């Protein structure tokens, strides 16, 4: 990467870091205490007790590499303030020192995110690279989840981008290595494991040395697993580690907040039960554990069949079959990013106890596709808006309300203008799709989009009527998000006050679930019926 490109990345990362520093005093969730307690566990206890400690309710439930990461951070935390890493006295500790330390630790860890986006954008034209940097570095979802609510998703997604970049460059073994490391940091990323397995088996393990390559790949993955889990195997702790990583007793849904198919499933069940009780039919309605936003044991549905972890897993893998078949038949490195996005979409829509934050797993890598395809650009605007809005309930305090709204509105406005004007320059978008002027230098530079990443010229498409960034349905749907927010913030408190307190959350979850389902179905259609085609190479196809 040239010095000028590094300076550009550094300047954007610097601006983003300044914003993150301004967010230091904002609200933080119980995840803040969770990670502080993990610092204490890994610093105060021997390794063999990490996954069995129950001195706090916030027990360690991430894979070993993340535990090692917390242990590494605890070295600096203990030097700064020993109480941070004290197993008993540190519980609930939230001084300015610990807040600043943990906030900054997330910002420093984001260096992996910047590294990953640099790697994945190396072969893009100048303008596409800028668009990708903007889309990833200034993602409002990452700001909300990592730098306000508090988690470490940025550096993990950076590892995913590093893996995809390696596969994009033909370095399959390195791509598999990064993915194995990622899964050993956070096992929820394993949803894309079947894609990696089939693709690497068909793309890397081939030719005269296919047997040798298979053992090299297997040895790489097994080596990562041994480093991660080996010490715990030595202490006979593997069953306890597995028990912590897969707590199926937590239930099908993480409250109503994760907008997936199960949110709609439970809403239908609850609505049907209410209607039947109104007309005099006796229905045993379980406790409303799904509406409280807390993690607890699974409560069965009132009417609809109970969903088990096995059913959920079968649906995830079953809906993933189209891209598994494509990866087997046509293992093209140019399609891997789309398959991975779709795999995480399947995991989000049909997975067991999905958190709303898991939407980042598909939104961030989807930005890779958005800067290269006209229709994907519109889909990205749509899913980024829906996914970010679905995170709004995480920040429920009044002082954070303008922050989350501004983060979403400014991001979507910038990305809309950037995508729209680049497409207008190429003659592929109606002029009424973009009305905000931009600098002449940006318009001039957008001419670089006439070249493929490999440097070859692309034949300009017929203008016809142009291609709209969003369809009419998508525009109407996104406008409906405003109505949902007005109801939750104004109408519900005014008319119902304290009655039906779960209703605004359920409405957000249910409405966003429709948008997520729409996005998933769109990706399913592209993979199942249009594999091998680039949308922007089909001039006769336009959105409604």
């Amino acid at each position: 990467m040239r010095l000028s490109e590094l300076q550009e990345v550094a300047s954007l990362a610097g601006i983003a870091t300044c914003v993150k520093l301004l967010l230091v005093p904002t609200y933080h969730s119980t995840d803040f205490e969770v990670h502080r307690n993990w610092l204490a566990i890994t610093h105060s206890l021997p390794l063999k007790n990490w996954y069995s400690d129950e001195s706090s309710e916030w027990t360690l439930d991430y894979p070993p590499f993340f535990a090692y990461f917390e242990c590494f951070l605890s070295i600096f935390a203990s030097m700064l303030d020993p109480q941070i890493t004290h197993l008993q006295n540190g519980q609930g500790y939230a001084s300015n020192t610990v807040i600043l330390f943990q906030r900054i630790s997330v910002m420093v860890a984001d260096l992996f995110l910047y590294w990953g986006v640099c790697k994945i954008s190396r072969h893009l034209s100048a303008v596409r690279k800028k668009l990708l940097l903007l889309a990833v570095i200034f993602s409002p979802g990452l700001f909300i989840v990592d730098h306000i609510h508090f988690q470490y998703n940025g550096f993990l997604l950076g590892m995913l981008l590093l893996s995809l970049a390696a596969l994009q460059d033909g370095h399959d073994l390195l791509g598999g290595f990064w993915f194995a490391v990622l899964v050993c940091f956070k096992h929820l990323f394993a949803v894309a494991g079947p894609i990696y397995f089939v693709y690497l088996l068909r793309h890397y393990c081939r030719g005269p040395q296919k047997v040798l390559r298979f053992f090299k790949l297997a040895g790489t993955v097994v080596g990562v697993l041994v480093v991660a889990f080996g010490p715990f195997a030595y202490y006979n702790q593997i069953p306890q580690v597995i028990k912590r990583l897969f707590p199926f007793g937590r239930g099908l849904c993480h409250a109503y907040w994760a907008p997936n198919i199960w949110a709609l499933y439970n809403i239908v069940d609850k609505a049907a039960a209410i209607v039947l009780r109104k007309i005099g039919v006796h229905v045993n309605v379980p406790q409303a554990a799904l509406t409280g936003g807390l993690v607890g044991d699974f409560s069965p549905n009132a009417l609809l069949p109970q969903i088990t972890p096995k059913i959920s897993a079968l649906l995830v893998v079953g809906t993933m079959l189209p891209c598994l078949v494509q990866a087997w038949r046509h293992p093209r490195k140019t399609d891997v990013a789309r398959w991975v996005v779709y795999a995480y979409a399947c995991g989000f829509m049909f997975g067991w106890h999905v958190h709303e934050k898991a939407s980042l797993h598909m939104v961030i890598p989807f930005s890779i596709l958005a800067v290269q395809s006209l229709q994907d650009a519109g889909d990205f605007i749509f899913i980024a808006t829906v996914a970010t809005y679905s995170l709004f309930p995480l920040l429920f305090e009044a002082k954070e309300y303008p922050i989350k709204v501004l983060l979403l509105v400014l991001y979507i406005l910038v990305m809309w203008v950037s995508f729209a004007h680049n497409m207008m320059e190429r003659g592929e978008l109606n002029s009424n799709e973009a009305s905000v002027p931009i600098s002449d230098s940006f318009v001039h530079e957008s001419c670089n989009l006439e070249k493929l990443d490999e440097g070859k010229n692309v034949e300009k498409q017929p203008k016809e009527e142009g291609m709209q960034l969003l369809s009419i349905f998508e525009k109407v749907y996104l406008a409906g998000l405003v109505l949902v927010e007005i109801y939750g913030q104004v109408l519900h408190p005014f008319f119902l006050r304290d009655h039906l307190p779960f209703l605004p959350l359920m409405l957000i979850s249910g409405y966003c679930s429709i948008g997520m389902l729409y996005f998933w179905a769109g990706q399913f259609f592209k993979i199942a019926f249009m594999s091998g085609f680039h949308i922007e190479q089909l001039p006769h196809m336009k959105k409604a």
Side-chain angles (χ1 to χ4, degrees):
M1 180 174 287
R2 295 190 298 269
L3 179 60
S4 60
E5 294 174 335
L6 285 174
Q7 290 175 337
E8 181 179 48
V9 174
S11 63
L12 292 175
I15 295 171
T17 302
C18 289
V19 176
K20 295 169 187 177
L21 287 171
L22 292 173
L23 298 176
V24 167
T26 57
Y27 157 84
H28 55 79
S29 71
T30 53
D31 280 341
F32 184 86
E33 171 60 17
V34 168
H35 286 278
R36 189 220 54 80
N37 190 60
W38 292 359
L39 291 174
I41 289 174
T42 55
H43 185 80
S44 305
L45 298 175
L47 180 143
K48 63 182 179 180
N49 295 335
W50 285 1
Y51 285 91
S52 58
D53 175 72
E54 295 183 352
S55 58
S56 167
E57 61 181 313
W58 312 120
T59 53
L60 183 61
D61 58 7
Y62 271 27
F65 275 170
F66 204 96
Y68 301 153
F69 171 70
E70 294 279 7
C71 185
F72 173 73
L73 291 180
S74 72
I75 298 172
F76 304 98
S78 63
M79 290 189 294
L80 182 65
D81 184 348
Q83 189 171 343
I84 296 175
T85 56
H86 197 286
L87 199 59
Q88 283 79 35
N89 297 341
Q91 293 188 17
Y93 187 48
S95 69
N96 291 334
T97 305
V98 65
I99 291 174
L100 191 61
F101 174 80
Q102 291 197 216
R103 292 290 199 195
I104 291 178
S105 70
V106 181
M107 299 178 205
V108 174
D110 278 349
L111 289 173
F112 263 94
L113 179 67
Y114 307 144
W115 182 18
V117 74
C118 285
K119 281 288 189 179
I120 199 71
S121 64
R122 280 191 308 144
H123 303 299
L124 297 178
S125 65
V127 172
R128 288 181 175 180
K129 183 176 297 184
K130 287 181 180 178
L131 289 175
L132 185 56
L133 291 173
L134 286 171
V136 174
I137 293 176
F138 293 96
S139 168
L142 282 176
F143 278 108
I144 290 173
V145 174
D146 282 9
H147 302 283
I148 301 179
H149 184 268
F150 193 82
Q151 274 196 352
Y152 291 89
N153 292 284
F155 94 95
L156 297 175
L157 288 164
M159 289 185 194
L160 177 62
L161 295 181
L162 286 171
S163 175
L164 293 174
L167 297 182
Q168 172 183 278
D169 293 339
H171 305 312
D172 290 349
L173 199 61
L174 182 60
F177 166 80
W178 275 119
F179 183 73
V181 170
L182 173 62
V183 172
C184 288
F185 266 96
K186 190 171 183 178
H187 53 303
L188 298 181
F189 282 95
V191 172
I195 301 298
Y196 272 82
F197 176 78
V198 172
Y199 173 77
L200 291 174
L201 188 65
R202 294 287 290 163
H203 189 266
Y204 180 70
C205 303
R206 61 181 180 177
Q209 296 183 326
K210 59 184 178 182
V211 176
L212 176 62
R213 288 189 168 197
F214 174 81
F215 282 106
K216 286 174 65 177
L217 180 62
T220 299
V221 175
V222 171
V224 172
L225 293 175
V226 168
V227 172
F229 291 91
F232 299 95
Y234 177 80
Y235 290 112
N236 297 317
Q237 287 292 301
I238 294 300
Q240 180 63 26
V241 173
I242 299 300
K243 180 181 178 181
R244 286 284 180 85
L245 296 184
F246 301 98
F248 291 116
R250 286 185 171 184
L252 177 63
C253 290
H254 180 70
Y256 273 123
W257 295 358
N260 60 8
I261 195 71
W262 306 128
L264 292 174
Y265 189 84
N266 288 318
I267 289 171
V268 170
D269 180 81
K270 189 175 185 68
I274 291 174
V275 170
L276 289 176
R277 293 181 69 181
K278 289 289 186 182
I279 61 176
V281 178
H282 176 71
V283 176
N284 289 322
V285 180
Q287 292 291 325
L290 294 170
T291 65
L294 299 175
V295 175
D297 291 334
F298 176 67
S299 296
N301 296 104
L303 296 171
L304 297 179
Q306 179 177 333
I307 303 299
T308 65
K310 289 183 180 179
I311 293 174
S312 174
L314 285 173
L315 284 172
V316 171
V317 177
T319 53
M320 210 184 296
L321 280 177
C323 58
L324 292 176
V325 171
Q326 295 297 344
W328 180 268
R329 295 176 58 192
H330 308 291
R332 291 183 292 260
K333 61 184 181 181
T334 53
D335 292 333
V336 175
R338 186 177 299 280
W339 294 335
V340 168
V341 169
Y342 177 72
Y344 286 128
C346 291
F348 186 86
M349 290 305 300
F350 303 100
W352 180 268
H353 196 77
V354 174
H355 287 236
E356 60 284 342
K357 294 159 282 191
S359 61
L360 292 170
H361 296 182
M362 58 182 173
V363 173
I364 297 300
F366 191 63
S367 59
I368 302 167
L369 307 175
V371 301
Q372 302 180 71
S373 164
L374 302 180
Q375 191 170 29
D376 286 330
D379 291 342
F380 176 77
I381 293 290
F382 180 83
I383 191 61
T385 305
V386 176
T388 304
Y389 180 73
S390 72
L391 299 173
F392 274 23
L394 290 176
L395 308 181
F396 53 85
E397 293 186 354
K399 64 180 182 179
E400 276 76 39
Y401 185 79
I403 296 175
K404 63 186 180 183
V405 172
L406 280 174
L407 285 173
L408 174 57
V409 172
L410 291 177
Y411 179 81
I412 296 302
L413 179 62
V414 169
M415 297 312 300
W416 182 292
V417 170
S418 301
F419 284 131
H421 277 277
N422 274 281
M423 294 174 192
M424 271 184 57
E425 273 298 302
R426 303 170 71 187
E428 294 166 328
L429 187 70
N430 286 333
S431 59
N432 60 7
E433 283 292 295
S435 58
V436 182
I438 56 176
S439 66
D440 292 337
S441 61
F442 190 84
V443 173
H444 176 73
E445 193 172 10
S446 66
C447 294
N448 291 332
L449 289 175
E450 292 302 322
K451 297 180 180 180
L452 284 173
D453 300 335
E454 292 80 5
K456 298 179 181 179
N457 291 330
V458 179
E459 183 180 356
K460 203 162 187 176
Q461 304 297 339
K463 288 189 178 181
E464 298 188 13
E465 296 180 3
M467 185 176 185
Q468 293 187 356
L469 198 57
L470 294 175
S471 69
I472 294 175
F473 169 79
E474 290 164 349
K475 291 176 182 177
V476 171
Y477 175 86
L478 293 181
L481 293 176
V482 178
L483 300 179
V484 171
E485 187 65 8
I486 290 174
Y487 173 80
Q489 295 297 320
V490 180
L491 300 181
H492 185 88
F494 182 79
F495 289 105
L496 296 179
R497 292 183 174 86
D498 296 331
H499 297 289
L500 302 178
F502 64 87
L503 190 56
L505 286 178
M506 189 171 70
L507 186 59
I508 291 175
S509 182
Y511 193 78
C512 289
S513 297
I514 296 172
M516 291 290 189
L517 183 60
Y518 171 82
F519 172 78
W520 172 83
Q523 296 306 303
F524 172 83
F525 174 80
K526 289 179 183 179
I527 289 171
F529 303 110
M530 299 180 63
S531 179
F533 294 91
H534 296 286
I535 303 302
E536 60 186 63
Q537 293 178 339
L538 300 176
H540 63 281
M541 294 192 66
K542 299 192 292 292
K543 286 189 177 183

